[in-house]
Amino acid sequence: KGTVQKAFIEAEGDIIVHQGISGKDEAKVESTGGSVFAKFAQNSNIYAERSVVIPEGILHSKVDAGEKIYSTGRRAKIAGGVIRAGDEVNAGFLGAEGSTRTVIRVGVHPKMLQQIDDLMEAKKALDDELTTLKLDLKTLNTQKRNAGGKLSEDKEKLLADLTARDEKQSARLAEVSGELEELNEYMNMLEHKGKICADKVAYSGVEIYIKDKDFKIRDNYNHVKFSLKGDEIN
């Protein structure tokens, strides 16, 4: 009936907050099968399998919805943070005066985007580790060559361990790269859906992504809808 602050709330169905969600980045509200409704949201993490409806505005929050995100009250704005929806984001104002960085993504289910982000992070970590491993192996192999093909027992063990690790992580990298490729191919096959609407103003500083295309707003737009036509955001 009141406000959600530093709390973790999870439900299979809808979550209805009569006031706002204001958690100093420590509130997490998640509906695994329904929608989330609240008056306002600030510095919060909100996830809904269906839709998120917050009429008085979303500020500096991370919001994911499988379907739609609405913030369409009289003064409602979405400003700051990362907002991701499978189908649509609709607000009175997008961004704010002063070019507040606001990232809005539609056209792909946020869970798939999260999978891609996680795989990219794993790929980078593997790339970094393999670079270090290959340098260490090169050094040890050079030492072995210079010593007439023999190393101390400790260094031989280290060489064997590093070689095994290199093989294991190279196989894991190939696996991660394959998964990433499959997800990106699937994303490209998805129909061209997804729209972002500002009933009043979309301010400069807002970054828009529809599927894999991006558009950075450099001038304010009034009463605007962004959607994908062919390979471009219109």
Side-chain angles (χ1 to χ4, degrees):
K1 294 288 182 186
T3 304
V4 173
Q5 296 181 337
K6 293 184 184 181
F8 171 46
I9 295 173
E10 182 181 11
E12 286 182 16
D14 294 343
I15 296 171
I16 301 161
V17 181
H18 286 248
Q19 294 301 317
I21 303 167
S22 179
K24 296 185 178 172
D25 296 323
E26 291 181 49
K28 186 180 177 189
V29 176
E30 179 171 7
S31 169
T32 57
S35 298
V36 174
F37 302 85
K39 225 175 191 180
F40 65 87
Q42 188 166 352
N43 301 103
S44 304
N45 300 286
I46 300 167
Y47 308 88
E49 182 56 35
R50 297 188 66 192
S51 295
V52 174
V53 181
I54 299 181
E56 289 185 11
I58 302 168
L59 303 176
H60 307 289
S61 295
K62 185 180 179 194
V63 182
D64 282 354
E67 295 174 5
K68 298 172 182 180
I69 296 172
Y70 286 123
S71 185
T72 52
R74 205 156 49 88
R75 293 191 300 274
K77 67 179 173 187
I78 294 176
V82 178
I83 309 296
R84 306 188 297 189
D87 299 336
E88 179 183 345
V89 171
N90 199 317
F93 297 89
L94 295 176
E97 293 281 10
S99 301
T100 302
R101 184 171 184 257
T102 307
V103 176
I104 301 176
R105 295 196 72 143
V106 294
V108 183
H109 197 293
K111 280 185 182 167
M112 188 188 289
L113 289 174
Q114 196 58 55
Q115 263 183 292
I116 290 169
D117 287 350
D118 292 346
L119 285 168
M120 284 178 77
E121 212 171 286
K123 185 176 182 294
K124 187 188 180 307
L126 286 164
D127 280 332
D128 291 347
E129 187 184 349
L130 283 164
T131 301
T132 305
L133 279 169
K134 288 189 187 330
L135 279 171
D136 292 344
L137 283 167
K138 189 179 176 185
T139 302
L140 283 168
N141 281 316
T142 303
Q143 287 175 5
K144 189 172 182 173
R145 209 165 40 249
N146 292 342
K150 279 195 172 184
L151 285 171
S152 68
E153 198 178 316
D154 285 354
K155 284 193 174 177
E156 281 290 0
K157 184 180 182 314
L158 180 61
L159 181 60
D161 289 347
L162 290 178
T163 302
R165 181 76 180 166
D166 182 62
E167 285 172 8
K168 183 185 173 188
Q169 296 305 73
S170 294
R172 177 70 186 131
L173 179 63
E175 201 180 292
V176 166
S177 299
E179 284 178 43
L180 204 46
E181 204 175 305
E182 278 177 29
L183 275 174
N184 281 320
E185 279 175 14
Y186 178 69
M187 191 165 77
N188 289 331
M189 283 163 54
L190 292 172
E191 58 179 308
H192 275 37
K193 66 175 184 178
K195 61 180 179 178
I196 296 167
C197 307
D199 290 346
K200 298 191 171 71
V201 185
Y203 290 101
S204 65
V206 176
E207 297 172 25
I208 280 172
Y209 297 85
I210 302 180
K211 280 184 66 180
D212 56 340
K213 305 299 176 211
D214 65 282
F215 180 82
K216 291 178 177 58
I217 299 180
R218 306 207 189 285
D219 300 298
N220 294 352
Y221 288 86
N222 298 320
H223 314 295
V224 66
K225 177 179 92 171
F226 298 93
S227 59
L228 202 58
K229 295 278 161 53
D231 278 342
E232 287 190 352
I233 292 177
N234 277 19

